């Protein structure tokens, strides 16, 4: 079997599996957020944190909940890392430096999971399990809660109330993320991923010498790492490491886990707004972009070309022998289009264009299908803009799902789309101008001038794009553990996560206050393929034009050279 | 004379009735090089940054132009810098020119309107006498007299008398129209001319706020406010401009790193290429030109908001009389009863209607002539003047007719005429009642005709009076339906008649025996479902039903003035649901 055919078959199996769980999972999620009942475990949690799960919140209250909860999480995670040296089960690792601790705290709370440390050489069991793994659940739940709030904004009228943040948060963790993670972890353990609290082992290497390796609760962290589109690996090599991702099946299974909730949320959206076909249109737009990117990535990786290939003599550089080009390509587009950032191959070693596709995937704003929750709300904001443009073409005040898109809605949507490009491009530009940050670009070897050229630029651009869009994957080759990168990327992650949430929740509040506009024959049909196409066009054009100059100087220059 | 004028389809630009090009209007769409030239100075005047700042996109281009000019001046030998500079300035100027041309068109149109508003002298009634005052001195509530040849000095209602008025100055329609006190035809417009008779007008508009003043302001663009969609679009364009500004500003550090530093001129040129200049440049020109076009089609929108609101209308209420139908019932058919011929009936019907000056009576004579070739006879042809007596219609007898040479002819309500025949010893044919009922069921009005010549009274037949639906209504309603607009006909007729007319005209729904309260209830019901309701009709008395929605809008009144004549001006009175948030925010912008 040729490797191309195997890739296509894997892709088909993946799509089949996603299609199979789409309806049941989407409907289940809708039922979770509609339910008026609290489980006993949930009631116990509410009592512990002193939250009333039944008060209906308007958007400022909901936002305060999101920000307060996340603020406390950042602080807790920061302190936990700072005192690691004194904690039990720390495997002898010392406390993390302030800049790196801030970066890591921001990273895990913002669902980015950018790692400027190597897991097996820095984090002990307590930080990994009680800090990082817990945030993997909570940050994902915050994203889903905000998305549900926006959906309620569309579904509700004349109220302004968006539900209860604490109920949404706790339910997401208790009823969705934990059960799914348990199932996924069991599957992963059964397939060979490790799950223990072992200490450090000295293991011999094929190339001679030895290295130190520690065990850990890997399978469980791996499960939520993918399900919550987090991406922070237990080990530095992330999903390329056999303890995290033992074989080709677990690789495909992990891709499935990454995509399952973001795609299913479109069904939830359709159910909650009372028209599942609206959800299908969003799904179609997401699916089209995801499939297109995957096909492009496979094509460019199979097609060879680019300096990495010429140097290594094959498109396998930076890819795992266990997975091959095809599976690595699917993984790479899935992880960059979902704000996951887990990797099973080194994106830096992809061909010039391949790296560009991964980069562009993040630049789209993580909306196809995007992170858990964040993908849905990101796509819905783009839908608001697409509806507005289309509405002007037909000469009616644009409306989406019975809500008028007026200047207030457009103002909020415009602010939303401004945030990430501003952060990504702004920080990259400053980093390129300053004298020291470019020194972190490591792979200047073999270059007489000590200048890393287009590839080096791509590394920096990738780092800030990844941070601002809450992806977390990295273009290897950038020594990001400096005070500059730890601080700026940390800021990019926090602002890139929570500023858009402010605008999304304000938008949700504004929509929920409106009276519904009845649908007439003149209403733009937002459940039709035409609209899905329009949405894809709006996404590609808005982001494409924003980042084109930067992409031209980075990956495209490299790919064409 | 008839008070009904031919209908001008307001929505249909291809109608042969459209304004004649010589009517003093500026035709749209034609490219006029002279206009470009005259607009050029305006285009330069608009380079003032204070004016440019209103359009953020073009403001950025102007700043870029200044920047490249300075840079090119510091390096005068660089032809590339000069070329870019010229190109950028041309871009800005073109945008300004487009706006200036649109405004220029509006101004030309306003000038022709101003001609209609020549300084008039008003004859104001005061303390039993008349005084001559300038038209501008008139206040609301003043009474003025206009006689044949006078120009009406201001907007008002006729409170006394009937006159024919030439309104070609504002409508472009040359046929004079009737304005009379009371009823739906009492409103007159300043600047129009009285052709006959004498009327007393009560002024209803302050000087400077009259119909013509508003029109002038509108077409000149002075009163043009940004519409909600325009504001939203501007926000989107501004945010795209910021995005691209970011992309270009950050490009320089990247380029320096890549060893390909670019000049400021190149970056400025790139920025201008990226930002949405085309839409940004033409947005206000589009707005002005749009208003201009509407006026050319005899649609007067009181603001851009009203136009946008009209685009959102989902329910349209139409008055039956004058809007859907021609306004008067007309004879459509002569139905003879057993024992009478159609010709006999037509002859008797015509005879009985000769003196009948009501539109219904006229239409009977017309039908008799058109269908049966019966010439209208003059009184002299009918024998001895002494034996000729016209019996007028009264509310008591409910019939009218004529007595001539010993023969009496009567036409009128079925019951009254039957009673008249029985009283004289005549018999009612068996099918008479049947035919009367059939016409009623079909939505028509039956008029029974009977004759009594030499003591043998007999019923001849029934005249079918019909509400005549204007031509092309069905097509127009189909068109509205395709646009997603539901049409509701409002009429005081009984449900049976209303249903028949509604079916013939093709409206979606109807409200029969409508009282103002019924109308209000209907509007409220539609609005409660979030729908935007518009009303159209030819009577000023019909608009108040929409008042609750209108009051909310403060100074914003999309269409205050009733149309001058049925069908000539389309009046849109869109109302928003009263608690709509979008209005509040729109007003605060």
């Amino acid at each position: 079997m040729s490797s191309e055919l195997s890739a296509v078959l894997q892709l088909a199996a993946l799509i089949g599996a996603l299609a199979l769980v789409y309806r049941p999972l989407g409907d289940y999620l809708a039922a979770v957020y509609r339910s008026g009942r609290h489980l006993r475990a949930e009631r116990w949690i509410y009592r512990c944190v002193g939250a009333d799960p039944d008060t209906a919140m308007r958007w400022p209250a909901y936002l305060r909940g999101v920000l307060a909860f996340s603020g406390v999480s950042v602080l807790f995670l920061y302190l936990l890392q700072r005192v690691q040296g004194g904690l039990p089960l720390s495997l002898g690792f010392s406390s993390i430096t302030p800049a790196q601790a801030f970066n890591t705290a921001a990273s895990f709370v913002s669902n980015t999971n950018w790692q400027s440390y190597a897991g097996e050489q820095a984090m002990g069991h307590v930080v990994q399990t009680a800090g990082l793994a817990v945030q993997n659940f909570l940050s994902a739940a915050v994203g889903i809660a905000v998305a549900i709030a926006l959906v309620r904004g569309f579904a509700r009228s004349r109220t302004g109330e968006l539900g209860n943040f604490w109920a949404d948060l706790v339910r997401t963790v208790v009823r969705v993320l934990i059960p799914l993670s348990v199932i996924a972890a069991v599957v992963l353990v059964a397939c060979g991923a490790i799950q223990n609290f072992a200490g450090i082992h000295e293991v011999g290497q094929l190339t001679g010498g030895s290295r130190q390796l520690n065990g850990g609760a890997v399978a469980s962290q791996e499960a939520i790492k993918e399900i919550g589109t987090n991406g922070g690996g237990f080990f530095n090599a992330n999903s390329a490491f056999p303890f995290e991702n033992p074989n080709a099946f677990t690789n495909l299974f992990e891709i499935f886990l990454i995509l399952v909730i973001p795609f299913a949320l479109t069904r939830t959206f359709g159910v909650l707004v009372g028209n599942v076909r609206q959800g299908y249109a969003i799904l179609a737009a997401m699916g089209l972009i995801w499939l297109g990117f995957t096909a492009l990535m496979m094509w460019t990786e199979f097609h060879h070309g680019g300096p990495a290939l010429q140097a290594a003599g094959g498109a396998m550089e930076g890819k795992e022998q266990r997975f091959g080009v095809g599976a690595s390509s699917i993984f790479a587009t899935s992880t960059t289009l979902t704000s996951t950032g887990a990797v099973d191959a080194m994106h830096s070693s992809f061909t010039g264009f391949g790296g560009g596709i991964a980069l562009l995937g993040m630049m789209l704003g993580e909306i196809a299908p995007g992170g858990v929750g964040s993908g849905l709300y990101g796509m819905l904001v783009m839908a608001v803009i697409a509806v507005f443009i289309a509405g002007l073409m037909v000469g009616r005040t644009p409306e989406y799902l019975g809500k008028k898109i007026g200047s207030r809605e457009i103002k909020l949507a415009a602010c939303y789309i401004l945030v990430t490009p501003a952060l990504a491009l702004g920080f990259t530009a400053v980093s390129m101008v300053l004298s020291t940050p470019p020194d972190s670009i490591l792979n200047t070897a073999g270059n007489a001038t000590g200048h890393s050229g287009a590839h080096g630029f791509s590394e920096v651009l990738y780092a800030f794009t990844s941070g601002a869009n809450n992806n977390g994957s990295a273009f290897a080759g950038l020594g990001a553990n400096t005070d500059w990168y730890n601080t700026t990327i940390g800021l990019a992650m926090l602002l890139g996560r929570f500023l858009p949430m402010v605008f999304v929740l304000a938008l949700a509040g504004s929509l929920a206050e409106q009276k519904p506009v009845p649908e007439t024959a003149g209403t733009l049909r937002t459940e039709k393929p035409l609209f899905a196409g329009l949405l894809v066009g709006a996404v590609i054009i808005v982001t494409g034009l924003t980042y084109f100059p930067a992409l031209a100087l980075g990956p495209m220059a490299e790919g064409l050279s | 004379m008839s008070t009904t004028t031919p209908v001008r389809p307001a929505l249909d630009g291809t109608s042969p009735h459209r304004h004649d090009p010589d009517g003093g209007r500026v035709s749209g769409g034609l490219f006029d090089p002279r206009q470009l030239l005259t607009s050029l100075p305006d285009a330069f005047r608009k380079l003032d940054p204070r004016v440019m700042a209103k359009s953020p996109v073009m403001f950025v281009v102007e700043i870029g132009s200044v920047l490249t000019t300075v840079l090119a001046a510091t390096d005068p030998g660089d032809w590339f810098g000069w070329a870019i500079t010229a190109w950028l300035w041309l871009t800005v100027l073109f945008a300004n020119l487009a706006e200036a041309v649109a405004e220029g068109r509006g101004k030309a149109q306003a000038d022709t309107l101003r001609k209609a508003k020549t300084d008039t002298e008003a004859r104001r009634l005061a303390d039993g006498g008349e005084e001559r005052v300038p038209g501008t001195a008139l206040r609301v509530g003043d009474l003025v007299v206009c006689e044949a040849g006078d120009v009406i000095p201001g907007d008002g209602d006729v409170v006394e008398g009937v006159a024919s008025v030439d309104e070609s100055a504002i409508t472009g329609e040359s046929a004079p129209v009737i304005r009379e006190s009371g009823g739906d035809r009492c409103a007159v417009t300043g600047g129009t001319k009285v052709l006959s008779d004498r009327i007393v007008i009560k002024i209803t508009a302050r000087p400077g706020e009259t119909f013509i003043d508003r029109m002038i302001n509108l077409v000149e663009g002075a009163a043009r406010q940004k519409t909600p969609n325009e504001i939203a679009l501007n926000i989107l364009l501004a945010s795209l401009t910021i995005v691209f500004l970011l992309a270009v500003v950050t490009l320089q550090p990247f380029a320096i790193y890549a060893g390909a530093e670019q000049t400021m001129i190149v970056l400025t040129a790139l920025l201008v290429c990226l930002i949405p200049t085309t839409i940004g440049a033409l947005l206000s020109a589009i707005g002005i030109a749009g208003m201009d076009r509407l006026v050319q089609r005899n649609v007067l929108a009181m603001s851009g908001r009203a136009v946008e609101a009209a685009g959102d209308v989902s329910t349209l209420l139409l008055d039956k009389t004058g809007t859907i139908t021609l306004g008067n019932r007309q004879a459509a058919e002569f139905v003879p009863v057993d024992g009478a011929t159609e010709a006999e009936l037509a002859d008797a019907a015509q005879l009985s209607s000769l003196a009948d000056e009501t539109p219904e009576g006229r239409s009977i004579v017309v039908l008799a002539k058109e269908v049966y070739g019966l010439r209208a006879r003059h009184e002299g042809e009918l024998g001895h003047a002494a034996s000729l007596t016209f019996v007028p219609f009264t509310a008591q007898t409910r019939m009218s007719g004529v007595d001539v040479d010993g023969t009496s002819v009567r036409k009128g309500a079925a019951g009254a005429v039957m009673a008249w025949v029985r009283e004289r010893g005549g018999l009612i044919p068996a099918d008479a009642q049947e035919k009367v009922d059939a016409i009623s069921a079909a939505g028509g009005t039956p008029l029974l005709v009977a004759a009594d010549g030499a003591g043998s009274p007999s019923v001849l037949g029934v005249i079918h009076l019909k509400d005549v639906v204007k031509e092309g209504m069905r097509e127009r309603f189909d068109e509205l339906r395709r646009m997603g607009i539901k049409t509701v006909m409002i009429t005081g007729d009984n449900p049976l008649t209303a249903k028949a007319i509604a079916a013939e005209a093709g409206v979606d729904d109807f409200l029969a025996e409508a009282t103002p309260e019924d109308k209000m209830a209907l509007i409220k019901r539609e609005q409660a479902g979030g729908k935007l309701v518009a009303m159209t009709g030819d009577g000023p008395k019909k608009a108040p039903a929409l008042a609750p929605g209108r009051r909310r809008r403060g100074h914003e009144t999309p269409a205050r003035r009733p149309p001058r004549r049925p069908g000539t001006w389309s009046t849109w009175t869109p109302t928003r649901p009263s608690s709509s948030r979008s209005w509040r925010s729109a007003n605060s912008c």
Side-chain angles (χ1 to χ4, degrees):
Chain A
M1 187 160 59
S2 76
S3 50
E4 280 93 344
L5 181 62
S6 112
V8 171
L9 287 179
Q10 287 191 48
L11 191 60
L14 177 63
I15 293 171
L18 286 169
L20 215 59
V21 295
Y22 176 73
R23 264 189 75 159
L25 183 59
D27 288 347
Y28 172 70
L29 285 166
V32 165
Y33 298 108
R34 265 185 178 162
S35 155
R37 232 164 38 83
H38 303 298
L39 302 182
R40 187 178 299 165
E42 290 168 359
R43 268 201 294 270
W44 181 78
I45 296 171
Y46 298 137
R47 252 203 311 279
C48 283
V49 296
D52 177 6
D54 294 314
T55 21
M57 291 177 170
R58 301 177 67 80
W59 77 265
Y62 206 100
L63 178 66
R64 277 198 299 276
V66 170
L67 294 183
F69 179 74
S70 303
V72 170
S73 298
V74 171
L75 203 65
F76 172 76
L77 200 50
Y78 175 80
L79 292 175
L80 198 65
Q81 294 174 78
R82 295 288 292 130
V83 299
Q84 178 174 244
L87 291 176
L89 289 174
S90 64
L91 301 173
F93 297 137
S94 58
S95 301
I96 312 291
T97 62
Q100 193 170 32
F102 163 70
N103 181 282
T104 307
S107 171
F108 277 76
V109 172
S110 65
N111 196 245
T112 312
N113 297 29
W114 169 267
Q115 293 162 300
S116 68
Y117 61 89
E120 64 270 36
Q121 290 157 28
M123 300 295 177
H125 286 315
V126 175
V127 175
Q128 287 270 26
T129 315
L132 305 183
V134 167
Q135 275 313 316
N136 278 352
F137 283 95
L138 296 181
S139 66
V142 169
I144 297 180
V146 171
I148 294 297
L150 179 60
V151 174
R152 289 199 186 110
F154 279 110
R156 294 182 179 182
S157 298
R158 300 187 185 97
T159 137
E161 285 164 359
L162 300 175
N164 185 291
F165 170 66
W166 303 107
D168 291 340
L169 180 79
V170 171
R171 280 179 190 188
T172 309
V173 174
V174 173
R175 300 194 201 178
V176 182
L177 296 177
I178 289 181
L180 287 181
S181 301
V182 169
I183 300 169
V186 170
V187 173
L188 285 171
V189 169
C191 293
I194 63 165
Q195 180 82 0
N196 58 43
F197 282 101
I200 294 174
H201 297 274
E202 189 91 12
V203 289
Q205 287 186 300
L206 282 176
T207 50
S210 69
R211 66 176 293 191
Q212 293 183 327
L213 266 183
N214 60 290
V218 176
S220 58
Q221 191 164 328
E222 191 68 13
I224 187 60
K225 175 185 108 182
E226 317 294 6
I227 287 174
T229 60
N230 293 289
F234 196 95
F235 297 102
N236 190 32
N238 211 303
S239 287
F241 200 84
F243 286 180
E244 290 195 17
N245 192 3
N247 54 42
F249 169 74
T250 56
N251 186 56
L252 202 60
F253 182 63
E254 286 184 9
I255 301 174
F256 168 79
L257 292 180
I258 288 173
L259 297 171
V260 69
I261 292 184
F263 273 132
L265 273 173
T266 59
R267 168 85 186 180
T268 311
F269 160 71
V271 171
L272 289 181
V273 298
N275 183 357
V276 288
R277 297 178 62 194
Q278 299 284 358
Y280 295 156
I282 299 289
L283 171 72
M286 288 176 168
L288 206 64
I289 296 176
W290 174 75
L291 203 60
F293 270 62
T294 306
L296 265 179
M297 180 69 103
M298 280 193 186
W299 177 78
T300 175
E301 290 305 299
F302 277 124
H303 191 252
H304 304 176
L309 263 175
Q310 286 151 18
M316 282 304 294
E317 189 209 288
K319 296 192 179 74
E320 271 291 306
Q321 203 66 48
R322 288 169 293 148
F323 311 135
V325 174
S328 299
S329 299
I330 305 174
F331 201 110
T333 47
S334 298
T335 193
T336 48
L337 280 166
T338 55
S339 92
T340 306
V343 289
D344 75 345
M346 294 303 114
H347 291 179
S348 178
S349 305
F350 277 40
T351 57
F353 286 123
I357 292 167
L359 199 46
L360 186 62
M362 296 189 291
M363 286 167 173
L364 292 188
E366 308 292 17
I367 50 178
V372 285
S374 62
L376 181 63
Y377 65 66
M379 195 53 126
L380 289 177
V381 169
M382 285 310 298
V384 163
I385 288 178
V387 161
F388 179 75
I389 294 168
L392 291 185
M393 289 182 197
V394 297
R396 289 173 67 100
T397 298
E399 51 204 55
Y400 184 45
L401 301 169
K403 298 297 172 71
K404 283 201 185 299
I405 306 302
S407 49
R408 184 178 155 80
E409 286 74 25
I410 284 297
K411 213 177 283 175
L412 293 167
C415 287
Y416 178 95
I417 56 172
L418 274 178
V419 172
T420 39
L423 291 172
L425 291 176
F427 278 125
T428 310
V430 174
S431 298
M432 300 318 289
V433 188
L434 295 177
S435 56
T436 41
D439 295 343
S440 292
I441 301 166
L442 304 174
N443 43 358
T444 48
N447 192 327
T449 55
H451 191 280
S452 57
H455 193 81
F457 169 66
S458 294
E459 288 168 7
V460 178
L461 179 65
Y462 195 105
F464 284 105
T465 306
S466 174
N469 283 295
N470 299 135
N471 184 283
S473 69
F475 229 40
L478 181 72
N481 188 16
T482 65
D483 284 354
W484 167 257
Y485 285 109
N486 274 333
T487 311
T488 50
I489 295 178
L491 284 174
M493 289 186 290
L494 284 181
L495 295 175
R497 173 75 164 177
F498 295 105
L499 266 185
M501 279 187 178
V502 174
F503 301 125
V504 165
L505 287 174
L507 178 66
S510 161
L511 292 170
E513 277 171 17
Q514 284 192 25
K515 266 186 178 184
V517 185
E519 196 172 286
T520 66
T523 309
L524 175 73
R525 315 295 293 191
T526 49
E527 74 276 22
K528 298 279 182 203
L530 180 69
F531 178 72
L534 189 75
L535 184 52
V536 172
V539 169
I540 302 277
I541 289 170
V542 168
T543 47
L545 286 179
T546 312
Y547 290 105
F548 184 78
L551 283 175
L553 288 174
M556 286 172 72
E558 186 188 341
L560 291 171
S561 62
Chain B
M1 70 181 290
S2 165
T3 54
T4 320
T5 46
V7 182
R8 165 135 48 134
L11 296 172
D12 185 358
T14 58
S15 158
H17 286 288
R18 228 155 78 88
H19 70 84
D20 55 277
D22 302 319
R25 280 157 196 283
V26 179
S27 61
L30 285 175
F31 183 74
D32 183 0
R34 254 178 322 167
Q35 205 157 30
L36 274 187
L37 219 57
T38 50
S39 303
L40 212 52
D42 270 339
F44 277 99
R45 257 195 295 279
K46 283 173 186 289
L47 289 177
D48 184 339
R50 281 165 301 180
V51 180
M52 292 298 290
K54 283 175 192 157
S55 159
V57 180
M58 290 320 290
F59 189 52
V60 168
V61 181
E62 191 182 26
I63 293 173
S65 311
V66 174
L67 195 67
T68 52
T69 311
V70 173
L71 292 171
T74 54
D75 182 14
D78 179 21
W79 65 268
F80 177 73
W82 289 114
I84 294 290
T85 305
W87 200 251
L88 293 189
W89 280 115
L90 280 178
T91 308
V92 181
L93 274 178
F94 173 75
N96 288 351
L97 193 61
E99 197 177 315
V101 168
E103 281 175 355
R105 280 221 180 102
K107 278 206 185 81
Q109 213 164 43
D111 287 342
T112 48
L113 286 171
R114 269 201 198 93
K115 274 185 211 150
K117 205 190 117 191
T118 41
D119 288 334
T120 48
E121 208 169 48
R123 293 158 62 190
R124 184 163 65 186
L125 290 177
D127 306 326
E130 246 183 61
E131 54 176 354
R132 291 191 172 264
V133 294
T136 49
L138 291 175
R139 293 289 171 269
V140 175
D142 283 355
L143 294 176
V144 295
V145 179
C146 286
E147 280 181 331
D150 287 349
V151 172
I152 295 173
D155 292 0
D157 291 335
V158 179
V159 291
E160 194 186 315
V162 185
S164 61
V165 178
D166 172 13
E167 294 193 337
S168 60
I170 54 162
T171 62
E173 195 86 50
S174 52
V177 291
I178 291 291
R179 294 284 167 245
E180 59 191 359
S181 61
D184 288 350
R185 298 197 181 83
C186 68
V188 290
T189 310
T192 57
K193 199 171 179 185
V194 177
L195 292 180
S196 69
D197 305 290
R198 173 184 186 273
I199 44 174
V200 177
I201 298 159
K202 187 177 187 184
I203 297 296
T204 53
R206 275 188 294 242
E209 288 176 20
T210 62
F211 185 68
I212 287 203
D213 288 318
R214 283 155 165 268
M215 261 175 86
I216 290 171
N217 281 342
L218 272 169
V219 293
E220 275 192 327
R224 210 181 76 82
Q225 285 178 306
K226 280 189 174 161
T227 67
N229 281 346
E230 202 179 339
I231 292 167
L233 184 59
N234 262 320
I235 293 169
L236 191 64
L237 292 183
S239 71
L240 285 178
T241 307
I242 296 172
V243 166
F244 293 130
L245 200 61
L246 264 173
V248 173
V249 167
T250 55
L251 182 61
Q252 185 70 325
F254 304 166
I256 292 172
Y257 179 77
E261 189 177 351
Q262 299 299 315
T263 62
M264 275 306 276
I265 291 178
V266 170
L267 291 177
T268 313
L270 177 64
L271 175 66
V272 173
C273 290
L274 285 173
I275 61 177
T277 37
T278 320
I279 311 175
L282 297 178
L283 203 54
S284 58
I286 292 165
I288 296 167
M291 283 298 194
D292 202 32
R293 269 202 177 178
L294 282 179
V295 172
Q296 279 169 16
R297 298 215 167 169
N298 275 354
V299 178
L300 180 64
M302 286 310 197
S303 71
R305 263 176 212 190
V307 178
E308 266 182 17
D312 292 344
V313 164
S314 43
T315 306
L316 176 62
L317 308 186
L318 304 113
D319 272 325
K320 186 202 76 176
T321 311
T323 306
I324 295 178
T325 63
L326 285 175
N328 293 302
R329 285 170 300 185
Q330 298 196 331
E333 198 186 353
F334 295 123
V335 184
V337 293
D338 285 346
T341 65
E342 218 172 313
E344 270 176 339
L345 171 61
D347 185 63
Q350 188 222 34
L351 198 58
S352 69
S353 305
L354 284 176
D356 188 349
E357 287 294 336
T358 62
E360 288 87 355
R362 300 285 85 200
S363 76
I364 292 169
V365 176
V366 168
L367 183 71
K369 184 179 173 188
E370 278 177 358
V371 181
Y372 303 98
L374 293 175
R375 199 166 48 82
R377 286 161 287 190
H378 297 295
E379 290 181 16
E381 297 172 41
L382 294 169
H384 311 293
S387 67
L388 180 72
T389 323
F390 288 114
V391 180
F393 178 88
T394 68
Q396 282 76 41
T397 60
R398 294 198 293 146
M399 55 187 183
S400 63
V402 65
D403 293 334
V404 60
D405 289 338
T407 305
S408 302
V409 181
R410 292 288 182 278
K411 73 163 199 288
V417 174
M418 283 179 188
W420 181 77
V421 171
R422 281 200 199 94
E423 197 179 288
R424 291 175 168 233
L427 290 170
I428 312 294
D431 60 340
Q433 189 63 45
E434 207 175 284
K435 286 184 170 145
V436 165
D437 289 346
I439 289 170
S440 292
T445 309
L447 282 185
L448 209 58
V449 181
D452 179 12
S456 58
S458 62
V459 175
L460 295 173
V462 194
I463 303 170
H464 185 170
L465 287 183
K466 216 173 150 183
D467 247 337
V468 180
V469 173
K470 288 176 182 175
E471 228 175 286
M473 286 316 261
R474 181 170 279 279
E475 291 73 31
R476 195 130 320 137
F477 289 134
D478 285 345
E479 206 175 314
L480 286 171
R481 198 168 301 120
R482 277 197 299 276
M483 293 159 78
I485 298 173
K486 177 185 165 194
T487 47
V488 182
M489 180 183 84
I490 304 220
T491 171
D493 292 345
N494 65 61
L496 217 57
T497 314
K499 191 177 175 192
I501 293 170
E504 190 182 343
V507 290
D508 295 326
D509 202 355
F510 64 90
L511 182 67
E513 287 171 351
T515 62
E517 291 75 36
D518 290 342
K519 274 194 224 177
M520 271 307 291
L522 176 70
I523 290 168
K524 279 190 177 152
R525 199 162 60 236
E526 292 285 322
Q527 286 180 342
K531 287 183 177 159
L532 191 61
V533 184
M535 266 201 82
T536 169
D538 67 340
K541 306 283 183 280
K542 289 166 184 165
L546 292 166
R550 292 171 62 194
R551 265 201 299 276
R552 283 255 161 198
R553 260 169 284 146
H555 62 278
E556 189 68 35
T557 317
R560 184 201 63 88
R561 195 73 192 167
R564 308 291 90 194
R565 268 177 303 151
T568 304
W569 288 95
S570 299
T571 316
W572 289 93
T573 316
T575 66
R576 294 271 176 185
S578 51
S579 60
S580 162
R581 192 200 59 77
S582 61
W583 270 110
R584 288 209 301 276
S585 69
N587 283 341
S588 64
C589 281

